[in-house]
Amino acid sequence: MTDFQKYVQRYLDLIPSENWLEELKKSGEKTVGIYSELSEEQSLFAYAEGKWTLKELLLHLSDTERIFQYRILAFTRGDQNELPGFDEELYAKQSFANERTLSSLLEEYQLIRKSSQILLETANSEALKNVGSANGNQISAETIGKLIVGHNIHHLNIIEERYLPKL
């Protein structure tokens, strides 16, 4: 198993059921639920020096999901161009998430998640099997959809384990 396959598998293993489209909805609802309970001050909390604030983490989820959406769209449409990777640390540093209101970040997350749901629920099942290349790795559109779910759950786990107990 390659490093990339291990990376993908660790996220796929977090999806609690075979119905990953339902888990997409559930993880989105859970994320919104947690963030809806935070104050502006709490949303600026980082559990350790050099770690993202809760606002930065939320925008990271949105940024990543947007990038994954584009990959899904490209691959389901048969695009064979190599798609670039992205540097999540650079994106976070350039996001200015902490300058935005929590409500605007949450609205953005919700709109992106709804867009993902529509994209994935209406995609042709055969087209979801299409494989493309992103960041030098071959991956199917469906697997990227599942990565959205697993990636979100991964960060929910971090929020529950490292952020919320210290608030």
Side-chain angles (χ1 to χ4, degrees), residues 26-44:
K26 287 180 182 177
S27 63
E29 290 167 357
K30 185 172 182 181
T31 302
V32 170
I34 288 172
Y35 274 90
S36 295
E37 297 295 317
L38 297 175
S39 67
E40 280 294 328
E41 183 180 340
Q42 289 173 321
S43 69
L44 291 168

Side-chain angles (χ1 to χ4, degrees), residues 49-127:
E49 183 72 31
K51 296 298 182 181
W52 294 336
T53 66
L54 284 161
K55 281 185 176 183
E56 289 169 327
L57 195 153
L58 183 59
L59 192 52
H60 163 72
L61 289 173
S62 294
D63 286 350
T64 302
E65 192 158 333
R66 266 197 177 110
I67 291 164
F68 286 179
Q69 281 180 355
Y70 176 67
R71 292 174 181 177
I72 292 164
L73 177 67
F75 298 167
T76 58
R77 301 301 192 261
D79 191 335
Q80 292 300 304
N81 289 302
E82 168 71 27
L83 301 182
F86 73 104
D87 180 338
E88 63 185 36
E89 294 295 336
L90 176 66
Y91 275 51
K93 284 179 187 167
Q94 296 296 314
S95 73
F96 305 102
N98 293 329
E99 297 174 16
R100 292 180 54 189
T101 64
L102 178 57
S103 63
S104 78
L105 292 166
L106 200 49
E107 179 183 26
E108 181 177 4
Y109 172 85
Q110 290 173 291
L111 290 169
I112 292 167
R113 179 52 54 97
K114 184 64 176 172
S115 177
S116 291
Q117 287 173 219
I118 293 167
L119 176 66
L120 289 161
E121 290 170 356
T122 61
N124 177 283
S125 60
E126 287 304 308

